[in-house]
Amino acid sequence: MIRLSLPRWLRRLAWLLLALVVVALGILLGRAFEARGKPELMPWHRLVLAAEVHADSLPAQARWADYLAREQRLFDELRSALAAAPVSGRLRYEVDSHIGPAAAARDWNRSFESTPPAPRGGVLLLHGLTDAPYSVRGLATLYEQAGFAVIAPRLPGHGTIPSGLLDVRWQDWRAVVALAMRELRARVGPDRPLHILGYSNGGALALDYTLDALDADGDALPRPQQLVLVSPMIGLRPYAGLSRWLPLFGGIEYFEKSRWLDILPEFNPFKYNSFPVNGAVQSYLLTTRLQARLLALASSGRNQRLPPILGFQSVLDGTVSSHAVVHSLFEMLPANGSALVLFDINRASLLADMFKVDAANALDVLHDDRPQTYRVDVLGNADPATLALVERRYDAGARDAVVRPLQLAFPPEVYSLSHVALPFACDDPLYGMEPRMDEDFGIRLGTLRLRGERGALVVAADQFSRLGCNPFHAYLRERIAQTLPPPPASGAGAAPSP
């Protein structure tokens, strides 16, 4: 018998790898046991909706009308499924709930669209992860008033129940983006501009589609002429990649809760509060692919073909990496007229002396005095003693800022913007601090002021204290409006709101 003798270092390496695997499995098993202590799963955490659209079930010649018909079947199925498994209560999916749109009102969980008689262009609006088209409806009006055709698709897995994100793939989202862009081109004609506005995960999808379109043959994928990215998900926190292994034991019923990062009451009518691990995994896969593509594009010089990008980012962002927005996206761009707006912290806040060091220095990490190929606008306090806001504009190639006072100021209670705040005006009926009263969805998250003993709620207090609207929304709209063609001299009428 021939005995193989491995070198000692190789045997040690093998034992080390085996030990690491055993330790990793032990940690994941411990995490699975820990997850059993989460709140009980409800029907909306377990139901599977057969009518949901997936890329491999979408015919190659599918049209936008086909997607809307499939969406109608999906919501009919959802209604029947919840009726068959009723849970009494006052939250979103419960039979006695008052949360959500009124029976006769538009359901902003669903795709919406509008097309004027003679569109001057078209825009695709892409919502974020766990979100719904509601998050982009306020910005849709800006494009409608400019005479643009608007399509805001509900991306697969969203707008229905949280379990919709258990088996969705980022390729499903990409397929719907391409379908909607082809429809938009058909509506506006071959010579009108196409824009894409993406919020959060929708920003990653907007960029990913644009890169696909640059490589596509002919008009198979219509190319956008302008991108607008609001809190774009270009990168996630470093530990996000580990999330793919968390539900390793989730296929076992005993450990099914390990498939969820959060299991929470569903109190938001247009966003999931519960969050399955798979949602984070799909965004991680999308953003890592996107960063690699952007780097390769810049290295080859093909980034010259990218359209201008207008980005908006809070320097403090608890969801996405602000660092990735700057260094993995904007620093990869050519001198093509792109611009990035950074919303600084409130340095005149009563809490200014309580900022952590990394929060206080976040702007310095993101922006220094090196000339850039893109314009940078920093919105912050005029000085550390005043709430008044100024715009510090660093033109492409410039080291020095041009300062412009704005008729805006930090609300005294706001110490920074947040990831979720940017697309919403502060009169938004759901998220606004001073909400309009023309719509009522059963809850006004922007005005909740909770007081009580700590540790009593199953929902963390920061769910309600996190800023949900943008005090500088008028500035954001003004900057987006500058990317649109000027109105015709004849003053054509605007399209109606969706």
Side-chain angles (χ1 to χ4, degrees), residues 396-420:
R399 292 181 179 274
D400 299 323
V402 177
V403 180
R404 177 169 71 103
L406 301 174
Q407 299 301 312
L408 297 169
F410 275 104
E413 70 273 21
V414 170
Y415 59 83
S416 81
L417 270 62
S418 71
H419 175 80
V420 297

mmCIF file with all atom_site columns, all heavy atoms in Angstrom, residues 396-420:
data_model
loop_
_atom_site.group_PDB
_atom_site.id
_atom_site.type_symbol
_atom_site.label_atom_id
_atom_site.label_alt_id
_atom_site.label_comp_id
_atom_site.label_asym_id
_atom_site.label_entity_id
_atom_site.label_seq_id
_atom_site.pdbx_PDB_ins_code
_atom_site.Cartn_x
_atom_site.Cartn_y
_atom_site.Cartn_z
_atom_site.occupancy
_atom_site.B_iso_or_equiv
_atom_site.pdbx_formal_charge
_atom_site.auth_seq_id
_atom_site.auth_comp_id
_atom_site.auth_asym_id
_atom_site.auth_atom_id
_atom_site.pdbx_PDB_model_num
ATOM 1   N N   . ALA A 1 396 ? -16.212 71.615 -10.820 1.00 0.00 ? 396 ALA A N   1
ATOM 2   C CA  . ALA A 1 396 ? -15.261 70.606 -11.277 1.00 0.00 ? 396 ALA A CA  1
ATOM 3   C C   . ALA A 1 396 ? -13.901 71.254 -11.548 1.00 0.00 ? 396 ALA A C   1
ATOM 4   O O   . ALA A 1 396 ? -13.814 72.274 -12.239 1.00 0.00 ? 396 ALA A O   1
ATOM 5   C CB  . ALA A 1 396 ? -15.785 69.932 -12.534 1.00 0.00 ? 396 ALA A CB  1
ATOM 6   N N   . GLY A 1 397 ? -12.854 70.688 -10.953 1.00 0.00 ? 397 GLY A N   1
ATOM 7   C CA  . GLY A 1 397 ? -11.504 71.219 -11.139 1.00 0.00 ? 397 GLY A CA  1
ATOM 8   C C   . GLY A 1 397 ? -11.121 72.329 -10.193 1.00 0.00 ? 397 GLY A C   1
ATOM 9   O O   . GLY A 1 397 ? -9.972  72.778 -10.206 1.00 0.00 ? 397 GLY A O   1
ATOM 10  N N   . ALA A 1 398 ? -12.071 72.803 -9.348  1.00 0.00 ? 398 ALA A N   1
ATOM 11  C CA  . ALA A 1 398 ? -11.788 73.944 -8.466  1.00 0.00 ? 398 ALA A CA  1
ATOM 12  C C   . ALA A 1 398 ? -11.448 73.466 -7.055  1.00 0.00 ? 398 ALA A C   1
ATOM 13  O O   . ALA A 1 398 ? -11.968 72.466 -6.576  1.00 0.00 ? 398 ALA A O   1
ATOM 14  C CB  . ALA A 1 398 ? -12.991 74.880 -8.422  1.00 0.00 ? 398 ALA A CB  1
ATOM 15  N N   . ARG A 1 399 ? -10.570 74.229 -6.390  1.00 0.00 ? 399 ARG A N   1
ATOM 16  C CA  . ARG A 1 399 ? -10.227 73.945 -5.001  1.00 0.00 ? 399 ARG A CA  1
ATOM 17  C C   . ARG A 1 399 ? -11.051 74.782 -4.023  1.00 0.00 ? 399 ARG A C   1
ATOM 18  O O   . ARG A 1 399 ? -11.291 74.364 -2.891  1.00 0.00 ? 399 ARG A O   1
ATOM 19  C CB  . ARG A 1 399 ? -8.743  74.226 -4.758  1.00 0.00 ? 399 ARG A CB  1
ATOM 20  C CG  . ARG A 1 399 ? -7.795  73.268 -5.462  1.00 0.00 ? 399 ARG A CG  1
ATOM 21  C CD  . ARG A 1 399 ? -6.344  73.617 -5.143  1.00 0.00 ? 399 ARG A CD  1
ATOM 22  N NE  . ARG A 1 399 ? -5.409  72.708 -5.779  1.00 0.00 ? 399 ARG A NE  1
ATOM 23  C CZ  . ARG A 1 399 ? -5.023  71.539 -5.270  1.00 0.00 ? 399 ARG A CZ  1
ATOM 24  N NH1 . ARG A 1 399 ? -5.503  71.166 -4.097  1.00 0.00 ? 399 ARG A NH1 1
ATOM 25  N NH2 . ARG A 1 399 ? -4.157  70.777 -5.908  1.00 0.00 ? 399 ARG A NH2 1
ATOM 26  N N   . ASP A 1 400 ? -11.437 75.973 -4.453  1.00 0.00 ? 400 ASP A N   1
ATOM 27  C CA  . ASP A 1 400 ? -12.112 76.906 -3.548  1.00 0.00 ? 400 ASP A CA  1
ATOM 28  C C   . ASP A 1 400 ? -13.611 76.897 -3.782  1.00 0.00 ? 400 ASP A C   1
ATOM 29  O O   . ASP A 1 400 ? -14.089 76.716 -4.908  1.00 0.00 ? 400 ASP A O   1
ATOM 30  C CB  . ASP A 1 400 ? -11.567 78.316 -3.752  1.00 0.00 ? 400 ASP A CB  1
ATOM 31  C CG  . ASP A 1 400 ? -10.081 78.404 -3.443  1.00 0.00 ? 400 ASP A CG  1
ATOM 32  O OD1 . ASP A 1 400 ? -9.647  77.722 -2.487  1.00 0.00 ? 400 ASP A OD1 1
ATOM 33  O OD2 . ASP A 1 400 ? -9.363  79.113 -4.172  1.00 0.00 ? 400 ASP A OD2 1
ATOM 34  N N   . ALA A 1 401 ? -14.351 77.117 -2.714  1.00 0.00 ? 401 ALA A N   1
ATOM 35  C CA  . ALA A 1 401 ? -15.805 77.084 -2.773  1.00 0.00 ? 401 ALA A CA  1
ATOM 36  C C   . ALA A 1 401 ? -16.374 78.458 -3.100  1.00 0.00 ? 401 ALA A C   1
ATOM 37  O O   . ALA A 1 401 ? -15.827 79.493 -2.706  1.00 0.00 ? 401 ALA A O   1
ATOM 38  C CB  . ALA A 1 401 ? -16.372 76.601 -1.448  1.00 0.00 ? 401 ALA A CB  1
ATOM 39  N N   . VAL A 1 402 ? -17.486 78.434 -3.818  1.00 0.00 ? 402 VAL A N   1
ATOM 40  C CA  . VAL A 1 402 ? -18.315 79.622 -4.007  1.00 0.00 ? 402 VAL A CA  1
ATOM 41  C C   . VAL A 1 402 ? -19.496 79.473 -3.062  1.00 0.00 ? 402 VAL A C   1
ATOM 42  O O   . VAL A 1 402 ? -20.246 78.503 -3.142  1.00 0.00 ? 402 VAL A O   1
ATOM 43  C CB  . VAL A 1 402 ? -18.800 79.739 -5.467  1.00 0.00 ? 402 VAL A CB  1
ATOM 44  C CG1 . VAL A 1 402 ? -19.730 80.937 -5.612  1.00 0.00 ? 402 VAL A CG1 1
ATOM 45  C CG2 . VAL A 1 402 ? -17.616 79.837 -6.421  1.00 0.00 ? 402 VAL A CG2 1
ATOM 46  N N   . VAL A 1 403 ? -19.653 80.423 -2.161  1.00 0.00 ? 403 VAL A N   1
ATOM 47  C CA  . VAL A 1 403 ? -20.668 80.312 -1.109  1.00 0.00 ? 403 VAL A CA  1
ATOM 48  C C   . VAL A 1 403 ? -21.911 81.079 -1.517  1.00 0.00 ? 403 VAL A C   1
ATOM 49  O O   . VAL A 1 403 ? -21.840 82.238 -1.928  1.00 0.00 ? 403 VAL A O   1
ATOM 50  C CB  . VAL A 1 403 ? -20.131 80.849 0.230   1.00 0.00 ? 403 VAL A CB  1
ATOM 51  C CG1 . VAL A 1 403 ? -21.191 80.728 1.315   1.00 0.00 ? 403 VAL A CG1 1
ATOM 52  C CG2 . VAL A 1 403 ? -18.861 80.076 0.634   1.00 0.00 ? 403 VAL A CG2 1
ATOM 53  N N   . ARG A 1 404 ? -23.057 80.404 -1.379  1.00 0.00 ? 404 ARG A N   1
ATOM 54  C CA  . ARG A 1 404 ? -24.335 81.031 -1.705  1.00 0.00 ? 404 ARG A CA  1
ATOM 55  C C   . ARG A 1 404 ? -25.304 80.838 -0.538  1.00 0.00 ? 404 ARG A C   1
ATOM 56  O O   . ARG A 1 404 ? -25.626 79.710 -0.187  1.00 0.00 ? 404 ARG A O   1
ATOM 57  C CB  . ARG A 1 404 ? -24.937 80.425 -2.970  1.00 0.00 ? 404 ARG A CB  1
ATOM 58  C CG  . ARG A 1 404 ? -26.316 80.980 -3.346  1.00 0.00 ? 404 ARG A CG  1
ATOM 59  C CD  . ARG A 1 404 ? -26.723 80.522 -4.743  1.00 0.00 ? 404 ARG A CD  1
ATOM 60  N NE  . ARG A 1 404 ? -27.042 79.121 -4.825  1.00 0.00 ? 404 ARG A NE  1
ATOM 61  C CZ  . ARG A 1 404 ? -28.286 78.615 -4.885  1.00 0.00 ? 404 ARG A CZ  1
ATOM 62  N NH1 . ARG A 1 404 ? -29.340 79.425 -4.839  1.00 0.00 ? 404 ARG A NH1 1
ATOM 63  N NH2 . ARG A 1 404 ? -28.475 77.313 -5.000  1.00 0.00 ? 404 ARG A NH2 1
ATOM 64  N N   . PRO A 1 405 ? -25.762 81.936 0.090   1.00 0.00 ? 405 PRO A N   1
ATOM 65  C CA  . PRO A 1 405 ? -26.761 81.794 1.158   1.00 0.00 ? 405 PRO A CA  1
ATOM 66  C C   . PRO A 1 405 ? -28.069 81.245 0.585   1.00 0.00 ? 405 PRO A C   1
ATOM 67  O O   . PRO A 1 405 ? -28.453 81.556 -0.548  1.00 0.00 ? 405 PRO A O   1
ATOM 68  C CB  . PRO A 1 405 ? -26.938 83.227 1.679   1.00 0.00 ? 405 PRO A CB  1
ATOM 69  C CG  . PRO A 1 405 ? -25.722 83.964 1.200   1.00 0.00 ? 405 PRO A CG  1
ATOM 70  C CD  . PRO A 1 405 ? -25.338 83.331 -0.096  1.00 0.00 ? 405 PRO A CD  1
ATOM 71  N N   . LEU A 1 406 ? -28.742 80.425 1.354   1.00 0.00 ? 406 LEU A N   1
ATOM 72  C CA  . LEU A 1 406 ? -30.025 79.851 0.957   1.00 0.00 ? 406 LEU A CA  1
ATOM 73  C C   . LEU A 1 406 ? -31.106 80.319 1.917   1.00 0.00 ? 406 LEU A C   1
ATOM 74  O O   . LEU A 1 406 ? -30.836 80.606 3.089   1.00 0.00 ? 406 LEU A O   1
ATOM 75  C CB  . LEU A 1 406 ? -29.950 78.317 0.958   1.00 0.00 ? 406 LEU A CB  1
ATOM 76  C CG  . LEU A 1 406 ? -28.899 77.681 0.052   1.00 0.00 ? 406 LEU A CG  1
ATOM 77  C CD1 . LEU A 1 406 ? -28.852 76.169 0.275   1.00 0.00 ? 406 LEU A CD1 1
ATOM 78  C CD2 . LEU A 1 406 ? -29.171 77.988 -1.412  1.00 0.00 ? 406 LEU A CD2 1
ATOM 79  N N   . GLN A 1 407 ? -32.307 80.375 1.429   1.00 0.00 ? 407 GLN A N   1
ATOM 80  C CA  . GLN A 1 407 ? -33.432 80.741 2.291   1.00 0.00 ? 407 GLN A CA  1
ATOM 81  C C   . GLN A 1 407 ? -33.948 79.497 3.013   1.00 0.00 ? 407 GLN A C   1
ATOM 82  O O   . GLN A 1 407 ? -35.135 79.160 2.988   1.00 0.00 ? 407 GLN A O   1
ATOM 83  C CB  . GLN A 1 407 ? -34.543 81.382 1.451   1.00 0.00 ? 407 GLN A CB  1
ATOM 84  C CG  . GLN A 1 407 ? -34.122 82.644 0.738   1.00 0.00 ? 407 GLN A CG  1
ATOM 85  C CD  . GLN A 1 407 ? -33.646 83.719 1.706   1.00 0.00 ? 407 GLN A CD  1
ATOM 86  O OE1 . GLN A 1 407 ? -34.307 84.014 2.707   1.00 0.00 ? 407 GLN A OE1 1
ATOM 87  N NE2 . GLN A 1 407 ? -32.489 84.297 1.423   1.00 0.00 ? 407 GLN A NE2 1
ATOM 88  N N   . LEU A 1 408 ? -33.022 78.786 3.638   1.00 0.00 ? 408 LEU A N   1
ATOM 89  C CA  . LEU A 1 408 ? -33.323 77.540 4.325   1.00 0.00 ? 408 LEU A CA  1
ATOM 90  C C   . LEU A 1 408 ? -32.561 77.513 5.642   1.00 0.00 ? 408 LEU A C   1
ATOM 91  O O   . LEU A 1 408 ? -31.545 78.201 5.792   1.00 0.00 ? 408 LEU A O   1
ATOM 92  C CB  . LEU A 1 408 ? -32.912 76.325 3.477   1.00 0.00 ? 408 LEU A CB  1
ATOM 93  C CG  . LEU A 1 408 ? -33.615 76.123 2.137   1.00 0.00 ? 408 LEU A CG  1
ATOM 94  C CD1 . LEU A 1 408 ? -32.901 75.056 1.323   1.00 0.00 ? 408 LEU A CD1 1
ATOM 95  C CD2 . LEU A 1 408 ? -35.086 75.741 2.356   1.00 0.00 ? 408 LEU A CD2 1
ATOM 96  N N   . ALA A 1 409 ? -33.043 76.709 6.574   1.00 0.00 ? 409 ALA A N   1
ATOM 97  C CA  . ALA A 1 409 ? -32.365 76.572 7.861   1.00 0.00 ? 409 ALA A CA  1
ATOM 98  C C   . ALA A 1 409 ? -32.662 75.197 8.442   1.00 0.00 ? 409 ALA A C   1
ATOM 99  O O   . ALA A 1 409 ? -33.698 74.589 8.154   1.00 0.00 ? 409 ALA A O   1
ATOM 100 C CB  . ALA A 1 409 ? -32.814 77.662 8.836   1.00 0.00 ? 409 ALA A CB  1
ATOM 101 N N   . PHE A 1 410 ? -31.726 74.704 9.237   1.00 0.00 ? 410 PHE A N   1
ATOM 102 C CA  . PHE A 1 410 ? -31.973 73.464 9.966   1.00 0.00 ? 410 PHE A CA  1
ATOM 103 C C   . PHE A 1 410 ? -33.095 73.680 10.988  1.00 0.00 ? 410 PHE A C   1
ATOM 104 O O   . PHE A 1 410 ? -33.046 74.647 11.761  1.00 0.00 ? 410 PHE A O   1
ATOM 105 C CB  . PHE A 1 410 ? -30.722 73.039 10.731  1.00 0.00 ? 410 PHE A CB  1
ATOM 106 C CG  . PHE A 1 410 ? -29.736 72.239 9.934   1.00 0.00 ? 410 PHE A CG  1
ATOM 107 C CD1 . PHE A 1 410 ? -28.568 72.828 9.465   1.00 0.00 ? 410 PHE A CD1 1
ATOM 108 C CD2 . PHE A 1 410 ? -29.966 70.891 9.676   1.00 0.00 ? 410 PHE A CD2 1
ATOM 109 C CE1 . PHE A 1 410 ? -27.646 72.098 8.744   1.00 0.00 ? 410 PHE A CE1 1
ATOM 110 C CE2 . PHE A 1 410 ? -29.038 70.151 8.954   1.00 0.00 ? 410 PHE A CE2 1
ATOM 111 C CZ  . PHE A 1 410 ? -27.883 70.744 8.483   1.00 0.00 ? 410 PHE A CZ  1
ATOM 112 N N   . PRO A 1 411 ? -34.091 72.810 11.051  1.00 0.00 ? 411 PRO A N   1
ATOM 113 C CA  . PRO A 1 411 ? -34.996 72.838 12.204  1.00 0.00 ? 411 PRO A CA  1
ATOM 114 C C   . PRO A 1 411 ? -34.178 72.576 13.463  1.00 0.00 ? 411 PRO A C   1
ATOM 115 O O   . PRO A 1 411 ? -33.258 71.750 13.452  1.00 0.00 ? 411 PRO A O   1
ATOM 116 C CB  . PRO A 1 411 ? -35.964 71.685 11.919  1.00 0.00 ? 411 PRO A CB  1
ATOM 117 C CG  . PRO A 1 411 ? -35.904 71.488 10.427  1.00 0.00 ? 411 PRO A CG  1
ATOM 118 C CD  . PRO A 1 411 ? -34.480 71.794 10.052  1.00 0.00 ? 411 PRO A CD  1
ATOM 119 N N   . PRO A 1 412 ? -34.449 73.267 14.563  1.00 0.00 ? 412 PRO A N   1
ATOM 120 C CA  . PRO A 1 412 ? -33.602 73.137 15.760  1.00 0.00 ? 412 PRO A CA  1
ATOM 121 C C   . PRO A 1 412 ? -33.479 71.712 16.266  1.00 0.00 ? 412 PRO A C   1
ATOM 122 O O   . PRO A 1 412 ? -32.433 71.342 16.813  1.00 0.00 ? 412 PRO A O   1
ATOM 123 C CB  . PRO A 1 412 ? -34.318 74.034 16.788  1.00 0.00 ? 412 PRO A CB  1
ATOM 124 C CG  . PRO A 1 412 ? -35.093 75.002 15.968  1.00 0.00 ? 412 PRO A CG  1
ATOM 125 C CD  . PRO A 1 412 ? -35.513 74.267 14.734  1.00 0.00 ? 412 PRO A CD  1
ATOM 126 N N   . GLU A 1 413 ? -34.527 70.902 16.074  1.00 0.00 ? 413 GLU A N   1
ATOM 127 C CA  . GLU A 1 413 ? -34.502 69.532 16.611  1.00 0.00 ? 413 GLU A CA  1
ATOM 128 C C   . GLU A 1 413 ? -33.807 68.534 15.690  1.00 0.00 ? 413 GLU A C   1
ATOM 129 O O   . GLU A 1 413 ? -33.643 67.359 16.050  1.00 0.00 ? 413 GLU A O   1
ATOM 130 C CB  . GLU A 1 413 ? -35.932 69.056 16.889  1.00 0.00 ? 413 GLU A CB  1
ATOM 131 C CG  . GLU A 1 413 ? -36.787 68.804 15.665  1.00 0.00 ? 413 GLU A CG  1
ATOM 132 C CD  . GLU A 1 413 ? -37.510 70.042 15.150  1.00 0.00 ? 413 GLU A CD  1
ATOM 133 O OE1 . GLU A 1 413 ? -37.060 71.165 15.468  1.00 0.00 ? 413 GLU A OE1 1
ATOM 134 O OE2 . GLU A 1 413 ? -38.519 69.886 14.438  1.00 0.00 ? 413 GLU A OE2 1
ATOM 135 N N   . VAL A 1 414 ? -33.385 68.973 14.517  1.00 0.00 ? 414 VAL A N   1
ATOM 136 C CA  . VAL A 1 414 ? -32.765 68.072 13.534  1.00 0.00 ? 414 VAL A CA  1
ATOM 137 C C   . VAL A 1 414 ? -31.244 68.222 13.601  1.00 0.00 ? 414 VAL A C   1
ATOM 138 O O   . VAL A 1 414 ? -30.719 69.312 13.392  1.00 0.00 ? 414 VAL A O   1
ATOM 139 C CB  . VAL A 1 414 ? -33.272 68.390 12.110  1.00 0.00 ? 414 VAL A CB  1
ATOM 140 C CG1 . VAL A 1 414 ? -32.455 67.623 11.063  1.00 0.00 ? 414 VAL A CG1 1
ATOM 141 C CG2 . VAL A 1 414 ? -34.745 68.047 11.985  1.00 0.00 ? 414 VAL A CG2 1
ATOM 142 N N   . TYR A 1 415 ? -30.538 67.130 13.910  1.00 0.00 ? 415 TYR A N   1
ATOM 143 C CA  . TYR A 1 415 ? -29.077 67.212 13.974  1.00 0.00 ? 415 TYR A CA  1
ATOM 144 C C   . TYR A 1 415 ? -28.410 66.670 12.718  1.00 0.00 ? 415 TYR A C   1
ATOM 145 O O   . TYR A 1 415 ? -27.215 66.886 12.510  1.00 0.00 ? 415 TYR A O   1
ATOM 146 C CB  . TYR A 1 415 ? -28.532 66.509 15.220  1.00 0.00 ? 415 TYR A CB  1
ATOM 147 C CG  . TYR A 1 415 ? -28.857 65.036 15.346  1.00 0.00 ? 415 TYR A CG  1
ATOM 148 C CD1 . TYR A 1 415 ? -28.088 64.078 14.701  1.00 0.00 ? 415 TYR A CD1 1
ATOM 149 C CD2 . TYR A 1 415 ? -29.914 64.607 16.144  1.00 0.00 ? 415 TYR A CD2 1
ATOM 150 C CE1 . TYR A 1 415 ? -28.366 62.727 14.825  1.00 0.00 ? 415 TYR A CE1 1
ATOM 151 C CE2 . TYR A 1 415 ? -30.197 63.268 16.276  1.00 0.00 ? 415 TYR A CE2 1
ATOM 152 C CZ  . TYR A 1 415 ? -29.424 62.330 15.617  1.00 0.00 ? 415 TYR A CZ  1
ATOM 153 O OH  . TYR A 1 415 ? -29.702 60.981 15.741  1.00 0.00 ? 415 TYR A OH  1
ATOM 154 N N   . SER A 1 416 ? -29.163 65.956 11.873  1.00 0.00 ? 416 SER A N   1
ATOM 155 C CA  . SER A 1 416 ? -28.616 65.524 10.583  1.00 0.00 ? 416 SER A CA  1
ATOM 156 C C   . SER A 1 416 ? -29.764 64.997 9.740   1.00 0.00 ? 416 SER A C   1
ATOM 157 O O   . SER A 1 416 ? -30.845 64.678 10.254  1.00 0.00 ? 416 SER A O   1
ATOM 158 C CB  . SER A 1 416 ? -27.562 64.417 10.744  1.00 0.00 ? 416 SER A CB  1
ATOM 159 O OG  . SER A 1 416 ? -28.176 63.149 10.908  1.00 0.00 ? 416 SER A OG  1
ATOM 160 N N   . LEU A 1 417 ? -29.517 64.895 8.431   1.00 0.00 ? 417 LEU A N   1
ATOM 161 C CA  . LEU A 1 417 ? -30.459 64.177 7.588   1.00 0.00 ? 417 LEU A CA  1
ATOM 162 C C   . LEU A 1 417 ? -30.190 62.680 7.733   1.00 0.00 ? 417 LEU A C   1
ATOM 163 O O   . LEU A 1 417 ? -29.251 62.277 8.420   1.00 0.00 ? 417 LEU A O   1
ATOM 164 C CB  . LEU A 1 417 ? -30.334 64.624 6.131   1.00 0.00 ? 417 LEU A CB  1
ATOM 165 C CG  . LEU A 1 417 ? -31.250 65.804 5.741   1.00 0.00 ? 417 LEU A CG  1
ATOM 166 C CD1 . LEU A 1 417 ? -30.924 67.047 6.530   1.00 0.00 ? 417 LEU A CD1 1
ATOM 167 C CD2 . LEU A 1 417 ? -31.157 66.079 4.249   1.00 0.00 ? 417 LEU A CD2 1
ATOM 168 N N   . SER A 1 418 ? -31.015 61.871 7.105   1.00 0.00 ? 418 SER A N   1
ATOM 169 C CA  . SER A 1 418 ? -30.864 60.424 7.195   1.00 0.00 ? 418 SER A CA  1
ATOM 170 C C   . SER A 1 418 ? -31.055 59.820 5.816   1.00 0.00 ? 418 SER A C   1
ATOM 171 O O   . SER A 1 418 ? -31.509 60.483 4.877   1.00 0.00 ? 418 SER A O   1
ATOM 172 C CB  . SER A 1 418 ? -31.900 59.841 8.163   1.00 0.00 ? 418 SER A CB  1
ATOM 173 O OG  . SER A 1 418 ? -33.201 59.906 7.588   1.00 0.00 ? 418 SER A OG  1
ATOM 174 N N   . HIS A 1 419 ? -30.732 58.553 5.704   1.00 0.00 ? 419 HIS A N   1
ATOM 175 C CA  . HIS A 1 419 ? -30.902 57.851 4.433   1.00 0.00 ? 419 HIS A CA  1
ATOM 176 C C   . HIS A 1 419 ? -32.329 57.943 3.928   1.00 0.00 ? 419 HIS A C   1
ATOM 177 O O   . HIS A 1 419 ? -32.566 58.177 2.737   1.00 0.00 ? 419 HIS A O   1
ATOM 178 C CB  . HIS A 1 419 ? -30.504 56.380 4.611   1.00 0.00 ? 419 HIS A CB  1
ATOM 179 C CG  . HIS A 1 419 ? -30.746 55.547 3.397   1.00 0.00 ? 419 HIS A CG  1
ATOM 180 N ND1 . HIS A 1 419 ? -29.889 55.532 2.326   1.00 0.00 ? 419 HIS A ND1 1
ATOM 181 C CD2 . HIS A 1 419 ? -31.768 54.701 3.067   1.00 0.00 ? 419 HIS A CD2 1
ATOM 182 C CE1 . HIS A 1 419 ? -30.354 54.713 1.395   1.00 0.00 ? 419 HIS A CE1 1
ATOM 183 N NE2 . HIS A 1 419 ? -31.484 54.201 1.816   1.00 0.00 ? 419 HIS A NE2 1
ATOM 184 N N   . VAL A 1 420 ? -33.288 57.751 4.818   1.00 0.00 ? 420 VAL A N   1
ATOM 185 C CA  . VAL A 1 420 ? -34.687 57.640 4.397   1.00 0.00 ? 420 VAL A CA  1
ATOM 186 C C   . VAL A 1 420 ? -35.352 58.990 4.200   1.00 0.00 ? 420 VAL A C   1
ATOM 187 O O   . VAL A 1 420 ? -36.461 59.071 3.670   1.00 0.00 ? 420 VAL A O   1
ATOM 188 C CB  . VAL A 1 420 ? -35.503 56.811 5.417   1.00 0.00 ? 420 VAL A CB  1
ATOM 189 C CG1 . VAL A 1 420 ? -34.971 55.387 5.489   1.00 0.00 ? 420 VAL A CG1 1
ATOM 190 C CG2 . VAL A 1 420 ? -35.475 57.454 6.801   1.00 0.00 ? 420 VAL A CG2 1
#
